[in-house]
Amino acid sequence: MSPPSHAEVASLARQYGRHVYLAAYRVLGRHASAEDVQQDVFVKLLQSPPHQVSSWPAWLATAATRAAIDRLRRQQRRQRLLPHWAQHRLDSAEPEPDAHTEQGERAQRLRQALARLKPAEAECFTLRCVQGLEIDAIARATGMSRNHVSVTLHRARHALEAALAPENRHDH
Amino acid sequence: MTTDFSIDSLSPTLDAHVRSLRDATPDTRRAEDAQRALEDRLRRTRAPRLRRAGWIGAASAAVLAIALLVLPTLPGGGQNAFAAIQQQLRDFTTVHLTVTQQSGGMNMPTINVWAERNGRTRTDISDATSVIVDPRQHQLLTLLHGPHMAMQVTLPAGGQDAAKQADPMHWLKALAQFDGPVTELDKPRVIDGVITHGWKAQQHGMAMTVWADAQQMPRAIDVQGHGLTQHLRVRLDTAIPAGYLSTKVPDGYTAMQPDQD
């Protein structure tokens, strides 16, 4: 299997662009950030095309999730470093659409907890529990062994259970 | 060996948090704006005039996309009724597939494929792009309906890979030859007023169900997995509109010349 040409990437973008956008939006909760990730995924696909892809939907969901988690971690780091008034200005630039609903608050708590996990743990957990990929598909898309994916998922679950326990929440 | 991770093992608290992320649905207008911006950006990064190989690539990619959709839907053999369904797929004269897809509740482009047994194929991706391939004549026509542009290409004698990829027999043969476990479903389903029975299979993490009528004529294929839901409506041996598989540039379209490599 040869790497996809420019035209093939454009065709994949037409087919699965919305799928990538949705995967990124779920992780980030912001339209502008999801759009950035969507473009990054396909531009990187042009620049560094993979040679072996068994399932494009799974590969693209993995690429989108990885890029979104990376962005989420950078956002969290930046928020920890910025003074409070600057954080507020950043947040108000594009507030999350449902930030003040119960569902929105829960989503935000999970995003913060995911950002504190190891990247591989956050990625595997998001792919399995949020994006709905099977363990075998995650293993193929990430290059990890099936057993490694399972171990990583167990670790992520334990870390998230602890972080989201009512007595341990770090709500802002 | 580690015990398989199960989503059912999440605590109610974590499960509620996960659901809040899984149910986060973007505004449709913003998502469509983003999709347009993505396609515009990819167009801008393309050379002003597409090289011939690029157009062939676009065509093969379009049909390859169909193969990607359909190949995972190949159910297993080993049962007489299912073997008869496979036989129907080997014996068709024409086939028309309508592929509707959803990702997390969002609609994705509908794809229509018309193909003849001799290999002539037309693939429409929504109402934006059509790719027509005639392997016997070594002709390929790509139509961009928005700007009314057309690119007619003679497939190179030594480079028939695109034509092979575009050949619907490629995946039909794969389907007919597939040998794996299938389960017949108990509950029938009515499709266009006809009672059909389902055969379910699992492959590459995709759950696939083929629905066929009493004559073992396949009527539909459902696919679920990797965050996608796909429904393929299958029509065998139906008439294809005259001229639909022609590789001549249609009236009203501007013919673009490929760059010479």
Side-chain angles (χ1 to χ4, degrees), chain A:
Chain A
M1 185 186 205
S2 57
S5 66
H6 194 142
E8 287 166 335
V9 171
S11 179
L12 287 168
R14 282 192 294 274
Q15 289 276 303
Y16 299 115
R18 293 166 183 83
H19 181 60
V20 167
Y21 183 89
L22 178 64
Y25 181 83
R26 283 169 166 165
V27 175
L28 293 160
R30 288 185 164 93
H31 286 288
S33 304
E35 184 173 343
D36 287 346
V37 167
Q38 183 193 36
Q39 295 207 5
D40 286 351
V41 165
F42 286 100
V43 169
K44 281 182 183 166
L45 183 55
L46 278 177
Q47 293 167 344
S48 310
H51 283 267
Q52 285 291 341
V53 175
S54 59
S55 162
W56 278 111
W59 191 93
L60 290 167
T62 301
T65 300
R66 185 173 295 164
I69 285 171
D70 184 51
R71 197 180 182 91
L72 194 64
R73 289 167 62 83
R74 278 187 279 123
Q75 281 175 359
Q76 298 276 317
R77 265 200 307 274
R78 189 176 54 187
Q79 282 181 359
R80 281 199 295 273
L81 293 172
L82 283 176
H84 186 72
W85 62 268
Q87 284 180 29
H88 179 73
R89 290 184 68 173
L90 270 179
D91 290 344
S92 59
E94 199 211 353
E96 292 176 46
D98 55 356
H100 302 298
T101 65
E102 193 179 340
Q103 180 184 343
E105 287 172 0
R106 272 200 303 264
Q108 186 55 14
R109 276 198 296 271
L110 181 54
R111 289 180 185 121
Q112 288 171 356
L114 284 169
R116 288 193 289 269
L117 294 182
K118 290 178 181 173
E121 292 175 2
E123 182 179 320
C124 287
F125 186 85
T126 306
L127 287 172
R128 179 70 193 100
C129 297
V130 179
Q131 316 291 17
L133 266 65
E134 298 294 335
I135 290 176
D136 286 334
I138 296 171
R140 278 193 296 272
T142 60
M144 296 164 70
S145 70
R146 193 180 195 286
N147 196 45
H148 191 188
V149 172
S150 284
V151 169
T152 306
L153 283 168
H154 281 295
R155 286 181 182 153
R157 187 193 66 195
H158 286 306
L160 291 172
E161 298 279 13
L164 296 171
E167 63 275 18
N168 293 335
R169 282 181 191 165
H170 303 287
D171 293 345
H172 293 287

Side-chain angles (χ1 to χ4, degrees), chain B:
Chain B
M1 189 68 172
T2 307
T3 312
D4 258 1
F5 175 86
S6 166
I7 291 181
D8 297 335
S9 67
L10 303 184
S11 71
T13 300
L14 181 53
D15 185 55
H17 281 77
V18 165
R19 281 178 193 279
S20 66
L21 227 61
R22 207 161 46 214
D23 295 344
T25 308
D27 178 76
T28 306
R29 186 182 56 80
R30 296 289 299 269
E32 287 304 315
D33 287 349
Q35 179 67 23
R36 269 192 295 277
L38 170 68
E39 292 181 22
D40 284 348
R41 180 166 179 186
L42 293 175
R43 260 194 297 275
R44 281 200 308 274
T45 57
R46 183 178 294 171
R49 296 180 70 202
L50 293 175
R51 293 183 307 127
R52 178 174 57 180
W55 285 80
I56 294 171
S60 62
V63 182
L64 187 60
I66 302 302
L68 286 168
L69 292 173
V70 176
L71 272 176
T73 70
L74 312 183
Q79 296 180 15
N80 287 340
F82 189 75
I85 294 171
Q86 291 180 302
Q87 189 63 43
Q88 295 278 12
L89 289 167
R90 280 193 287 268
D91 292 346
F92 77 90
T93 306
T94 65
V95 61
H96 175 197
L97 292 179
T98 302
V99 185
T100 50
Q101 316 174 71
Q102 278 200 329
S103 174
M106 289 177 67
N107 290 325
M108 298 177 71
T110 297
I111 296 168
N112 273 283
V113 184
W114 290 264
E116 287 179 341
R117 187 178 181 79
N118 63 17
R120 286 203 304 171
T121 309
R122 178 185 176 115
T123 304
D124 290 353
I125 300 176
S126 67
D127 53 1
T129 309
S130 297
V131 179
I132 300 132
V133 179
D134 188 337
R136 287 191 308 179
Q137 302 296 323
H138 305 287
Q139 289 294 307
L140 182 152
L141 178 70
T142 304
L143 302 172
L144 302 181
H145 299 299
H148 277 68
M149 287 164 57
M151 173 63 81
Q152 195 178 32
V153 173
T154 299
L155 295 170
Q160 295 295 311
D161 285 350
K164 282 178 186 169
Q165 283 185 337
D167 180 1
M169 295 302 289
H170 172 74
W171 56 260
L172 284 182
K173 283 173 188 166
L175 188 146
Q177 291 164 5
F178 187 83
D179 186 19
V182 290
T183 307
E184 185 172 1
L185 302 181
D186 294 333
K187 289 186 179 176
R189 180 165 144 190
V190 177
I191 299 175
D192 291 345
V194 177
I195 295 173
T196 65
H197 293 272
W199 281 263
K200 192 169 188 176
Q202 193 87 18
Q203 191 181 44
H204 298 316
M206 309 283 279
M208 302 151 295
T209 309
V210 181
W211 298 92
D213 61 23
Q215 284 74 45
Q216 279 78 49
M217 183 69 81
R219 297 272 183 163
I221 301 170
D222 292 330
V223 185
Q224 196 153 23
H226 304 321
L228 286 174
T229 302
Q230 298 160 343
H231 176 73
L232 288 77
R233 183 75 176 82
V234 182
R235 299 173 186 87
L236 295 180
D237 299 331
T238 56
I240 296 176
Y244 224 56
L245 298 178
S246 168
T247 51
K248 290 180 181 170
V249 176
D251 292 343
Y253 282 72
T254 304
M256 305 296 291
Q257 293 303 312
D259 288 348
Q260 296 303 308
D261 294 327

